[in-house]
Amino acid sequence: MLTFDEIIAWLREENPRRLSRLWNKADSIRRAAVGDDVYLRGLIEISNYCIRKCAYCGLRAGNHALTRYRMTAEEILACTHEAVRFGYGTVVLQSGEDPGITREWMADIVRRIKQTTPLAVTLSLGERSDEDFRTWRDAGADRYLLRFETSNPTLYRYIHPARSSQPESDRIGLLHTLREVGYEIGSGVMIGIPGQSHRDLANDLELFRRLDLDMIGVGPFIPHPRTPLAPDHEEISACDDQVPNSELMTYKVVALARVICPETNIPSTTALASLNRAYGREMGLMRGANIVMPNITPPWYRVHYEIYPGKASSRESPNQSHKSMQRCIEAIGRHIGVGPGISKTFTRRS
Ligand code: 5AD
């Protein structure tokens, strides 16, 4: 088991020869713990409405430059049927924090997906009430993704301000609720948020272990011009021990997450692929990841789901996304996983 100091040392490591030991270790742990299958999760970005004002995110309320959309139930269901045709075992329904997504509307969609497809359903709809979580679970939803973004409380409050007259957001608390309600739970962080130190990131990794997460998604922070963390007017500046939002740092965190949580599901994320369009996704899979999330949102909506600029595959059709993922998995000698790809951590626990 890696100690806190060892985690820090790896995060600061720059020597390619020593780093190759980390890559090899992560890759062999991945193979032994979860095998060579790469599971595909079809991502459907169902709404870009958002009532929050997160300092990092392009969907934040107040970004009036963004065209807002919410897909209809029929459009969402059509996408899920496309996911089945592509052979995916899971769909991920993701949105901003959108009160227009009501408890009953969402529950009905989940029920219809579960009735008409064999898909596992993952929800990623932000911070919602316990009652919403329970209703959607009862309707058949299998998993919930909610990144805690950073375990540093001061930094978190700054980048993720509470809504006016609402209590502070407590995503760790919500993750506990989600687990109790019976979901497979996923979380994660951004890498290189201005003000994030190497110690913060090491704490994030230790928190992944303590939460015993079923899924861990990490990606580089990519500044969005219409947010307070835009490149030219970063409100909080880099700290002394600032973590770079680099491709290399992202690989280190993916690899360490695998070493620390061997049996969890780890995606090679789109944010990583956005930093290295040619090989980012493959390299993530070769350094600990076992999941990819092809985007199957209809292209005319997808262009408006601009969390950060320059998102990889933002202009591809679902068919093209599918083909490029397939090629990438085969190119590195791995296989496409069949079925829902339930996390081993979850099966063990239940
Ligand atoms: N750069 C990178 N990742 C981002 N996310 C939101 N904004 C950005 C950004 N500017 C990530 C957050 C969120 C997930 C859906 O996307 O971690 O949880």
Side-chain angles (χ1 to χ4, degrees), residues 54-59 94-95 124 145-149 171 188-191 217-224 227 229 271 305-309:
C54 302
Y56 47 86
C57 183
L59 305 191
Q94 192 179 77
S95 70
S124 178
L145 301 180
L146 186 67
R147 289 187 177 179
F148 61 80
E149 314 295 359
R171 289 195 170 186
V189 298
M190 286 177 290
I191 296 160
V218 300
F221 163 69
I222 300 172
H224 188 291
T227 63
L229 296 179
Y305 203 84
E306 203 195 48
I307 297 179
Y308 50 83

Side-chain angles (χ1 to χ4, degrees), residues 293-308:
M293 298 173 63
N295 194 324
I296 56 169
T297 311
W300 52 94
Y301 289 134
R302 196 188 304 195
V303 291
H304 302 302
Y305 203 84
E306 203 195 48
I307 297 179
Y308 50 83

Side-chain angles (χ1 to χ4, degrees), residues 304-319:
H304 302 302
Y305 203 84
E306 203 195 48
I307 297 179
Y308 50 83
K311 220 168 116 193
S313 78
S314 67
R315 294 185 183 274
E316 279 175 5
S317 71
N319 218 357

Side-chain angles (χ1 to χ4, degrees), residues 39-44 79-80 82-84 86-93 113-114 117-123 142-145 184 215 265 291-294 296 337-343:
Y39 286 90
L40 298 144
R41 320 293 204 201
L43 175 65
I44 313 173
C79 286
T80 66
E82 188 148 60
V84 175
F86 286 139
Y88 303 161
T90 300
V91 282
V92 181
L93 310 188
I113 299 173
K114 298 302 282 190
T117 76
L119 294 166
V121 174
T122 303
L123 301 179
D142 301 275
R143 311 183 182 132
Y144 205 97
L145 301 180
E184 274 182 76
M215 297 160 281
N265 281 330
I291 302 278
V292 290
M293 298 173 63
I296 56 169
V338 178
I342 297 170
S343 165

Side-chain angles (χ1 to χ4, degrees), residues 178-211:
L178 288 161
R179 162 133 314 145
E180 280 161 26
V181 172
Y183 289 96
E184 274 182 76
I185 60 165
S187 195
V189 298
M190 286 177 290
I191 296 160
I193 309 163
Q196 183 185 44
S197 69
H198 291 80
R199 296 187 72 82
D200 290 335
L201 202 46
N203 281 322
D204 295 345
L205 283 155
E206 294 214 312
L207 185 53
F208 292 163
R209 171 161 51 201
R210 282 201 301 284
L211 291 171

Side-chain angles (χ1 to χ4, degrees), residues 227-301:
T227 63
L229 296 179
D232 44 337
H233 57 100
E234 270 173 21
E235 276 187 12
I236 25 174
S237 36
C239 59
D240 288 346
D241 189 29
Q242 176 65 46
V243 169
N245 60 341
S246 65
E247 188 186 345
L248 182 65
M249 186 56 80
T250 306
Y251 295 136
K252 291 186 209 174
V253 179
V254 168
L256 289 165
R258 175 59 69 199
V259 173
I260 292 169
C261 308
E263 293 189 329
T264 197
N265 281 330
I266 302 181
S268 187
T269 57
T270 302
L272 173 57
S274 304
L275 293 193
N276 179 344
R277 282 167 190 262
Y279 299 113
R281 221 176 289 271
E282 281 89 333
M283 301 271 275
L285 289 172
M286 291 163 73
R287 294 172 173 182
N290 69 321
I291 302 278
V292 290
M293 298 173 63
N295 194 324
I296 56 169
T297 311
W300 52 94
Y301 289 134

